[in-house]
Structures are given as C-alpha cells and as structure tokens.
Amino acid sequence: MNTKKNNKAFHQNKKRPQQNKSNRKIKSTINPNRLIQEAQEEKASKYMAIKSFNEMDLHPQLKSNLKQMGFINPTEIQEKTYQHLLLKHNLIGLANTGTGKTGAFLIPILHNLLDQNQKNFKTLIIVPTRELALQVQDEFKKLSRGLNLSVSCHIGGTSVSADVSSLKRHNDVIIGTPGRLLDLMNRGNLKLASMQTLVLDEFDRMLDMGFIQDIRRIVNSMKSREHTMLFSATMDPKQRSLINEMVKDPVQVSVSNGDSTSKNVAQDIIRVPEGADKFNMLLKLLTGDGFNKVILFAETKRLADRLSKKLNQSGIKADQIHGNKSQNYRVKALDKFKKGNIKVLVATDVAARGVDVVNVSHVINYQLPNDYDTYIHRIGRTGRAGKQGSAFTFVD
Ligand code: ADP
Ligand code: MG
C-alpha cells in the first residue's frame, strides 16, 4: 500500500504545537501520541489453529456451510472457547475486534441446537446496535443453511407488529438490541422464562451506551437461564462487578489483554495547523493511493450529514449512517458501501459499532474521539480477519 507517501505529506505538520485554543473543542481524554503505531507484520497476528473446522467434531452440514463461507480454520478466540461452550461453561471471551467473536458463540450454539438430546434449546443474543444485530442474524443464517433452524431479529426503527408476529413462531435463536427486546418483553410477546442460553455480545459497548438497566431487566426474566457467555473487545476493571453479576463463575478466555488495538492497523495522527482548511486536508488524504473503502467518523449527526454532503459535492462518493437516518436508509447506505458503490461511509459511533465490512482500507477520525475505548472500536472496523488496515486521526 502506498499510504506511507501520504503520511509523509502530513508528518511535517506534526511538530507544530497544538493551537486553536479559543475554538470550542470536544473534551477528549486521549493523548494523541498514543495513536501513532506501525502495523505489525501480518504473520505476527495470524494464529495457527490446532484443528481445522473439518477436523472438529461438527455436524457435516455445518462443516460444509463453514467451508462455503471461507472459514477453514477457527480463529484463536473460536478455538479457545469452543470446548468450554460445548460443555456449557459460563464464559467471558475477550478478543480484539475483527477476530471472529460472532462465530465463537454461534458455532457452539449451532452444534448444541443440532444435538438431538437438546430439544427446546433456545438462545437469546443481545447486542448493542441494530447493524450488529442484523449482521449476527446474517451470520447465523449462513452458518445454518439447510439445517432447518429459525432465527428472529428485533431492533428499534422497525415495525413492532412484524416483531410480534415473528415471535408467535418457534425461534431457535432470538437476536436483538436491548430497547426493543425489553419493549417486546413488557408487551408479553417475548417470553424469556423458557430460554436457557444467553449471549451478551460487545458488552463494553452496551455499558457505554447506557443499556445496563435494560439488560438487567431482560436477564432477570430469564428464569431458567443455564448458560451465559459474554464477549467484549475491552474490559475495564471497573466493569468487573457488573460482569460478575451477569455471569456466574465464568471461565475467562483472553486472546487480547483487553485494551490493545488491532496489531495489524497502522495508526497515525494528522495535526491541523491553525487556520488550515481541514476539509481540504481530508479531501487530499482521500484521493491518496489505496483509499478505497473508508469509514469517516464524525462526532455528531449534524457533522456527519455535512461531511457526507460536502464530499459528494467535491466528487467523492459518500453516504452516511447515524441516528437521524431511518433503519432502511442505514441498511441501504451500508449496502452501497459493502458493494463498493460509494468510497466513504460517514458515521457516528452509535451507527458504526460492530459494522463488519470486508476490506475497509482506512478509518479516519475527523476529530479526536472522546476516549480510548471508542477509538479502539472505531479503528477495529479495518484490519479485520488478519488483513492490514490504516487509521488516521485529525488533531485540531
Ligand atoms: P468480532 O466480533 O471479533 O469483531 P467478527 O465475528 O465480526 O469479529 O468477524 C470478523 C470477520 O472475520 C468477519 O468478516 C468474519 O466473517 C470473519 N471470520 C470469522 N471467523 C473466521 C474464520 N474462522 N475464518 C475466516 N474468517 C473468519
Ligand atoms: Mg463482534
């Protein structure tokens, strides 16, 4: 990739002292110097699985679906959690973004669903965002092709009556975001008392987004809960007591130390000198080599809107996902981005969390994010599945 060349042009700005003191700035707890890091060799982050999926004790159709999806070997988190989850040990799985945590819980769940002795095995999967819920549903559908299993997904911004009717059917797996799940539970349509298995995905994000009370209410109504797994990219020691409350006597599998960024993402900052035209700097950056699929983070919905419009006016195909856009709009924008019909997806944190698009070349932060956890999640949108990626952060 040729991004080195691009970097050089901006490096000269790096030594300038931070200015713009009078400007209204977002408070950030991040030291920008922490955001500079070379990507490590790809092989350093490649894990050598002990067994391929084909060598594992899995249903033949599940094996064939995995193969179809291009999943040959389990990732590290998948391999190290698999036995525990088959044996229904409560588990906390910590691994960087993009390391296959979705498969880590879905594959054992599918295996257990296919086990003839486990009739009425039902799972609830709670995730923080709508996009992520749809993605998990999509992965479940791919993994369960031809297996006659059923899934339903319940997220905000969609018709409640459609949810209600899909909940009347039998569902092996129910996926959803906390708000909608709680709503359906309170209406009496979602009956949790008979569901044994619970997955809390991207738990750190759920806490950040203030979902803890909703999650507590949902979890407390799972009266016959037998098995709980919690996955997260980061773990703040302050969250420990909350986690203990949700998951009793867990096995902990840590593939990361709980706070490191993806090692295969090169990271750099771009200082914006006083009086410089920041948008112009962005345009220059975006026209560099290798900037094929870029997620541009904006702090506010308004800014996301403005950036998307200005990029299009400047001849760069862009679209936006954020909380002011309808779910339908967000799905369409994400789809255009996946297909490569647009080059830049402008996003706010809430909308972009958990988005998994293959081959995102760059993540750009138009402003310094509020905290380091947010930063980690953002840059985790690139450098996924062992691929290299780059992240740039503008520092005013
Ligand atoms: P995380 O939840 O850890 O952020 P995901 O579950 O979204 O990561 O997976 C990241 C990417 O890796 C996805 O594109 C997924 O399809 C892919 N992936 C997951 N497991 C495997 C595997 N065993 N082999 C190849 N690709 C995989
Ligand atoms: Mg995930």
Side-chain angles (χ1 to χ4, degrees):
M1 230 190 270
N2 235 338
T3 50
K4 281 235 171 65
K5 223 193 287 163
N6 279 300
N7 284 358
K8 222 186 267 163
F10 291 102
H11 275 186
Q12 46 209 29
N13 294 326
K14 228 187 247 173
K15 291 196 187 72
R16 301 193 184 212
Q18 207 168 330
Q19 288 166 330
N20 289 349
K21 286 240 162 59
S22 57
N23 280 6
R24 204 158 46 90
K25 267 198 299 190
I26 299 159
K27 270 196 215 112
S28 174
T29 55
I30 305 178
N31 171 1
N33 292 328
R34 212 177 156 188
L35 313 187
I36 305 170
Q37 187 178 302
E38 299 255 325
Q40 289 184 6
E41 282 290 299
E42 202 183 335
K43 57 178 173 338
S45 59
K46 271 249 166 80
Y47 170 73
M48 296 292 287
I50 298 163
K51 276 186 185 176
S52 67
F53 283 120
N54 210 25
E55 293 162 325
M56 286 162 76
D57 177 28
L58 292 170
H59 189 286
Q61 180 67 39
L62 181 52
K63 279 187 186 174
S64 124
N65 291 346
L66 282 161
K67 192 171 165 198
Q68 191 106 70
M69 291 164 75
F71 290 17
I72 307 302
N73 294 303
T75 65
E76 187 172 4
I77 187 77
Q78 289 167 359
E79 183 151 73
K80 291 185 172 166
T81 54
Y82 176 73
Q83 279 304 329
H84 291 297
L85 295 178
L86 285 194
L87 296 169
K88 301 196 178 175
H89 294 153
N90 285 346
L91 182 134
I92 295 172
L94 292 176
N96 287 337
T97 51
T99 55
K101 293 190 287 299
T102 318
F105 59 80
L106 287 182
I107 295 164
I109 286 171
L110 275 159
H111 183 92
N112 284 339
L113 264 172
L114 294 166
D115 185 342
Q116 295 304 320
N117 298 322
Q118 301 195 35
K119 293 196 186 89
N120 282 324
F121 174 82
K122 284 189 195 166
T123 303
L124 179 69
I125 301 172
I126 313 181
V127 302
T129 68
R130 300 166 181 186
E131 278 75 18
L132 188 61
L134 293 171
Q135 237 166 258
V136 173
Q137 171 177 249
D138 191 50
E139 189 156 331
F140 181 87
K141 283 186 176 166
K142 285 182 185 151
L143 284 168
S144 66
R145 197 171 289 147
L147 289 169
N148 201 20
L149 297 171
S150 50
V151 58
S152 69
C153 184
H154 308 283
I155 58 180
T158 62
S159 141
V160 176
S161 61
D163 277 356
V164 170
S165 62
S166 72
L167 285 172
K168 283 183 184 147
R169 296 194 308 260
H170 169 83
N171 289 295
D172 297 298
V173 170
I174 291 175
I175 304 165
T177 47
R180 177 59 64 96
L181 290 174
L182 189 63
D183 189 17
L184 291 165
M185 182 186 115
N186 288 336
R187 287 161 183 263
N189 302 108
L190 175 62
K191 299 188 175 67
L192 295 174
S194 63
M195 301 190 80
Q196 303 86 350
T197 307
L198 171 67
V199 179
L200 297 165
D201 190 23
E202 305 234 0
F203 191 69
D204 48 354
R205 244 345 109 194
M206 293 209 273
L207 296 185
D208 282 359
M209 293 171 75
F211 286 140
I212 190 61
Q213 289 308 337
D214 288 357
I215 293 171
R216 268 205 187 101
R217 285 190 199 109
I218 296 169
V219 169
N220 288 340
S221 28
M222 293 182 75
K223 301 289 181 209
S224 45
R225 180 164 60 115
E226 287 169 2
H227 185 200
T228 304
M229 44 200 123
L230 182 152
F231 285 86
S232 199
T234 57
M235 188 164 69
D236 188 327
K238 281 180 281 184
Q239 295 161 3
R240 196 78 235 190
S241 69
L242 258 175
I243 288 178
N244 289 343
E245 177 190 323
M246 300 284 164
V247 198
K248 297 283 175 242
D249 306 320
V251 175
Q252 183 170 319
V253 177
S254 307
V255 163
S256 63
N257 60 12
D259 74 355
S260 71
T261 47
S262 257
K263 292 197 177 55
N264 42 355
V265 180
Q267 303 164 53
D268 207 349
I269 57 171
I270 299 167
R271 295 244 188 233
V272 184
E274 188 166 22
D277 182 343
K278 188 170 167 183
F279 183 75
N280 220 15
M281 290 174 75
L282 172 70
L283 280 184
K284 266 201 204 137
L285 185 66
L286 285 172
T287 46
D289 282 342
F291 283 73
N292 305 321
K293 249 186 190 172
V294 181
I295 301 184
L296 174 65
F297 278 96
E299 246 31 57
T300 62
K301 300 170 203 170
R302 241 222 222 134
L303 179 63
D305 194 73
R306 199 152 47 91
L307 285 172
S308 170
K309 285 190 179 130
K310 278 177 83 177
L311 284 171
N312 281 307
Q313 283 160 6
S314 313
I316 291 183
K317 283 188 185 161
D319 211 329
Q320 40 179 323
I321 53 171
H322 55 74
N324 280 357
K325 293 286 171 197
S326 70
Q327 191 54 31
N328 193 26
Y329 187 99
R330 284 156 66 164
V331 169
K332 279 193 185 141
L334 194 59
D335 198 50
K336 280 193 270 179
F337 186 59
K338 280 185 182 160
K339 290 189 175 133
N341 297 341
I342 53 169
K343 172 169 173 167
V344 182
L345 184 69
V346 191
T348 56
D349 288 300
V350 172
R353 268 164 208 162
V355 166
D356 176 40
V357 176
V358 186
N359 291 334
V360 171
S361 61
H362 295 79
V363 166
I364 301 174
N365 296 307
Y366 200 63
Q367 286 152 309
L368 205 56
N370 280 328
D371 53 60
Y372 196 59
D373 268 10
T374 306
Y375 177 78
I376 289 177
H377 273 272
R378 287 185 182 184
I379 73 161
R381 301 306 112 213
T382 182
R384 294 172 80 77
K387 299 208 173 73
Q388 300 252 334
S390 307
F392 288 97
T393 303
F394 282 95
V395 179
D396 293 302

